[in-house]
Amino acid sequence: MDFKDMSYVLAIAKYGNITKAAESIYLTQPSLSRFLQNVERDIGQPLFKRVGNKYIPTYIGERYIEYATQILNEKSELDHEINDIVKRNVGLLKIGIPSMRATYLLPCTLPIFKSLYPNMRLDLHETNSAQLRQLILSGEIDLAFFNLVEKNPNIDYEIISHEELVLIMSRRNDLVRFGESRPDCKYPHMDISRLKDAPIIMQQENQMTRHATERVFRKAHFEPNIIVTTGNIPAAAQLAAKNYGLYFITETHLKHMDLEDEIACFSIGEPYTTIDFVAAYRRNSYLPYHAQEFIKIARDFT
């Protein structure tokens, strides 16, 4: 069984549906079905149980998927290393980044990377931080950038920058008057206990800023009054500007929004709260040369 066969089986496992898997690898559904039938006939056991249109791995299927994933990850690392050794500057670099961050980081970094390595192709995955961690661990991407709140022992991290977590609200909000100037804070400091009954706009549970915000409230020993949950960071910031509620956002995101005249910003925590923005990749795997170069470029423009 060759690498292509393994990738076909992994596609079926990933989508759990023969039609969607076939589309993802540019095969027809009948061709992929025949391929799977031939593989299962050669093995002498089914790799998947058919439940309606759903394909669920059997025990032997799970073992196949586990080993095939390892083998293809090692092949990818070998390809990268050989490419680095011969210095062809030709290849594919798979990068993951949250959608909001992509709006301002990619225009700064991609043109420079392209000018330095014109023969390198980039495969971009824009999704939330939790999903990016899974893509790193599965070997589907080489490198990801996101805010780090909790480390995974199977992932290595390089700090790109430290970002302050800022509380924002409309300048018309009554709580604005409670902000206190402190010499060790960039923004007026807000005692988090003042927010006990305030309406809070919260990010979704799979976003790292949500985890950091929850830690702030846990330290204050009360549950926030969440009035709406959204993964759309610009929309949430606009809602805060219109006095719909209070919102927590990293300072870097805020710099790329034209809200300065509408919102008041506050430091929270003791004396303030920061989040590490990191480059992340799978531990004990080969980090390609071009991934290292992309990290350097990202660091210069963050």
Side-chain angles (χ1 to χ4, degrees):
M1 191 167 293
D2 60 24
F3 296 130
K4 182 177 69 175
D5 293 343
M6 294 179 188
S7 67
Y8 287 178
V9 172
L10 291 185
I12 298 170
K14 178 179 180 180
Y15 291 96
N17 178 280
I18 203 77
T19 301
K20 292 181 179 178
E23 291 173 353
S24 74
I25 54 179
Y26 306 104
L27 284 182
T28 63
Q29 183 269 330
S31 295
L32 187 57
S33 294
R34 284 194 299 271
F35 158 79
L36 181 58
Q37 290 170 3
N38 292 335
V39 169
E40 292 181 328
R41 185 184 63 246
D42 292 342
I43 292 174
Q45 293 289 332
L47 296 179
F48 297 91
K49 295 181 292 185
R50 281 70 163 177
V51 181
N53 293 326
K54 187 74 174 175
Y55 281 62
I56 302 171
T58 60
Y59 175 72
I60 194 170
E62 290 176 350
R63 300 298 291 159
Y64 181 102
I65 292 164
E66 179 180 347
Y67 278 96
T69 300
Q70 293 176 8
I71 291 169
L72 291 180
N73 283 341
E74 290 180 0
K75 178 186 180 298
S76 177
E77 291 179 17
L78 176 61
D79 291 343
H80 281 309
E81 188 164 357
I82 290 175
N83 185 60
D84 287 351
I85 291 171
V86 299
K87 294 189 179 301
R88 290 179 299 160
N89 287 328
V90 175
L92 174 66
L93 181 62
K94 294 172 285 186
I95 297 176
I97 188 168
S99 298
M100 176 63 192
R101 184 82 59 170
T103 59
Y104 55 84
L105 184 61
L106 295 183
C108 296
T109 55
L110 294 195
I112 294 174
F113 185 83
K114 182 68 173 178
S115 68
L116 294 173
Y117 308 106
N119 297 319
M120 284 295 298
R121 292 190 298 118
L122 291 179
D123 182 11
L124 297 175
H125 296 253
E126 296 180 39
T127 186
N128 61 69
S129 303
Q131 182 63 28
L132 290 176
R133 289 201 306 271
Q134 294 305 312
L135 292 175
I136 291 172
L137 294 172
S138 67
E140 294 180 66
I141 59 176
D142 304 306
L143 175 68
F145 295 89
F146 50 75
N147 289 331
L148 177 64
V149 175
E150 184 175 347
K151 289 186 176 181
N152 184 300
N154 297 311
I155 297 177
D156 281 329
Y157 306 92
E158 291 188 28
I159 295 176
I160 302 297
S161 63
H162 303 289
E163 304 181 341
E164 182 171 357
L165 181 65
V166 178
L167 167 66
I168 64 172
M169 65 183 73
S170 167
R171 291 185 178 277
R172 296 177 284 115
N173 194 293
D174 292 340
L175 290 171
V176 168
R177 70 182 190 275
F178 294 114
E180 300 177 352
S181 296
R182 286 191 181 182
D184 49 0
C185 292
K186 181 176 180 179
Y187 303 98
H189 186 272
M190 178 67 70
D191 184 343
I192 201 72
S193 65
R194 298 279 188 185
L195 312 185
K196 197 161 189 177
D197 299 315
I200 303 295
I201 304 164
M202 190 69 83
Q203 291 190 1
Q204 293 180 345
E205 292 184 358
N206 55 18
Q207 293 175 285
M208 292 298 102
T209 305
R210 163 87 181 234
H211 297 181
T213 303
E214 288 176 338
R215 285 186 178 182
V216 169
F217 284 109
R218 282 199 299 271
K219 288 182 180 179
H221 305 294
F222 70 89
E223 293 288 332
N225 174 26
I226 301 173
I227 58 169
V228 67
T229 299
T230 176
N232 189 320
I233 296 173
Q238 290 282 356
L239 286 171
K242 295 184 181 300
N243 208 20
Y244 183 80
L246 314 186
Y247 188 55
F248 294 83
I249 185 172
T250 58
E251 184 183 29
T252 306
H253 285 336
L254 201 56
K255 289 178 181 177
H256 296 273
M257 300 179 189
D258 189 22
L259 295 173
E260 186 175 347
D261 295 335
E262 302 177 61
I263 61 171
C265 301
F266 300 90
S267 295
I268 45 96
E270 292 302 331
Y272 51 85
T273 301
T274 59
I275 303 176
D276 291 336
F277 176 57
V278 301
Y281 43 90
R282 194 158 54 95
R283 177 160 292 177
N284 298 324
S285 66
Y286 178 74
L287 184 65
Y289 168 77
H290 296 98
Q292 299 174 42
E293 290 297 288
F294 198 95
I295 291 172
K296 292 177 184 176
I297 295 169
R299 185 175 282 116
D300 289 340
F301 285 90
T302 300

